[in-house]
Amino acid sequence: MLVRDQSKLRAACADMARAAVLAVDLETTGLDPLSDATLLIGVTDGLRTWLIDARAISREDLGALLGPVLERAPVVVMHHARFDLRFLLSLGLKVGSPVDTMLIQKLIENGRERGRLTLAALTERLLGVTLDKSVQSSFVGHSDDVFTEAQLEYARRDLLATYQVFMHQVGTLARDGLAEVAAIEACALNAFAAMEQTGLPVDVKAWRALTDVAERDRAKARAALDEIFREVADLDLFRGVNINYDSDVELKDHL
């Protein structure tokens, strides 16, 4: 359902408020939340889908009607949540309990490379469904008052894919005992999105003092490691130990 007026938004939000899990996906004019605009706010409960035209509905109505739904929903699922959260912040909207399918998949894979973590890749890998992304570029710089059927269908499919990927991941999290860890990671999403969107105050003098201490400690630690590895490691032209201590692979080879 395309929502372009206050009455439809009010009815949609009343239905959304009864859902245990909502998925949210945005279509925007670009990738920069500080300069680009939100076009569509997609929301689904897995059965019903609402595509809210963010330009046709006032910021005040979005805040008064959609705002409480997003803040109070038990779970709001997004893919690459920081991106969507920042655009929502630009509209004055906050999400109370966000989760991120991209971060969840990183946790599940635990460093094992199984492919890309885009929504299209996860939908293909976990659900066996191919998402057509050819319409995605049509939203860039979009200024028309209306959306094409292809654009609306694209937004709807991405939205449902986000919901379904999450439902698939929930079983894996439970099986692997990772649900609590995933919940802890999700608690940090709003903080990181807010920091990226608005910045944060930093005591520059104190920060530089801390980094100076850290650099001195790092140099001391490297010198100590050089002495430990000098007898077994290759030496460079200046008789220095030729080991990259930032590489787990190189360190493992010398242990």
Side-chain angles (χ1 to χ4, degrees):
M1 175 190 292
L2 180 61
V3 179
R4 303 192 75 244
D5 59 59
Q6 186 194 70
S7 61
K8 284 187 178 180
L9 180 61
R10 189 182 303 277
C13 288
D15 290 334
M16 294 176 200
R18 291 189 283 269
V21 176
L22 292 173
V24 170
D25 185 56
L26 273 56
E27 303 302 336
T28 65
T29 60
L31 301 177
D32 187 351
L34 297 177
S35 60
D36 294 311
T38 300
L39 296 170
L40 290 171
I41 304 173
V43 185
T44 186
D45 61 2
L47 297 174
R48 295 162 296 184
T49 299
W50 302 274
L51 299 176
I52 303 166
D53 188 337
R55 303 166 305 169
I57 298 175
S58 71
R59 183 180 175 123
E60 291 72 24
D61 285 340
L62 286 173
L65 299 173
L66 183 60
V69 172
L70 296 180
E71 289 194 49
R72 298 170 187 169
V75 177
V76 177
V77 185
M78 290 167 277
H79 186 81
H80 190 20
R82 289 199 335 270
F83 175 85
D84 291 321
L85 287 171
R86 289 186 62 189
F87 271 98
L88 290 172
L89 285 172
S90 296
L91 294 172
L93 299 172
K94 297 180 180 180
V95 177
S97 301
V99 297
D100 186 342
T101 49
M102 185 177 72
L103 290 182
I104 290 174
Q105 196 63 28
K106 284 185 178 182
L107 177 62
I108 289 172
E109 296 184 7
N110 192 26
R112 300 183 295 269
E113 291 191 14
R114 295 178 178 171
R116 301 179 66 195
L117 295 174
T118 63
L119 179 61
L122 293 188
T123 302
E124 179 79 35
R125 190 153 82 241
L126 302 181
L127 307 178
V129 175
T130 300
L131 287 180
D132 181 1
K133 307 298 285 186
S134 61
V135 181
Q136 185 179 39
S137 60
S138 68
F139 290 103
V140 177
H142 181 89
S143 58
D144 295 342
D145 291 336
V146 296
F147 297 100
T148 66
E149 287 300 319
Q151 286 177 317
L152 295 176
E153 178 61 15
Y154 169 87
R156 187 189 70 84
R157 283 172 59 84
D158 266 19
L159 185 59
L160 288 173
T162 301
Y163 184 94
Q164 291 163 359
V165 164
F166 174 70
M167 289 304 175
H168 185 281
Q169 291 172 327
V170 166
T172 306
L173 290 174
R175 181 197 68 196
D176 295 347
L178 295 171
E180 185 175 354
V181 181
I184 292 172
E185 282 201 341
C187 287
L189 283 169
N190 276 323
F192 280 107
M195 284 192 293
E196 287 188 13
Q197 188 68 3
T198 62
L200 71 162
V202 174
D203 185 330
V204 176
K205 185 177 180 180
W207 179 261
R208 286 175 177 164
L210 287 173
T211 57
D212 288 344
V213 171
E215 284 299 323
R216 288 196 296 270
D217 289 346
R218 184 173 183 270
K220 290 178 182 178
R222 181 183 177 92
L225 287 172
D226 282 351
E227 289 303 315
I228 293 172
F229 287 110
R230 189 171 299 280
E231 298 299 322
V232 294
D234 295 331
L235 302 180
D236 60 26
L237 293 175
F238 303 98
R239 305 294 297 169
V241 175
N242 191 21
I243 297 177
N244 179 7
Y245 293 118
D246 294 323
S247 170
D248 291 340
V249 175
E250 285 197 33
L251 284 176
K252 183 179 178 181
D253 290 342
H254 290 88
L255 293 177

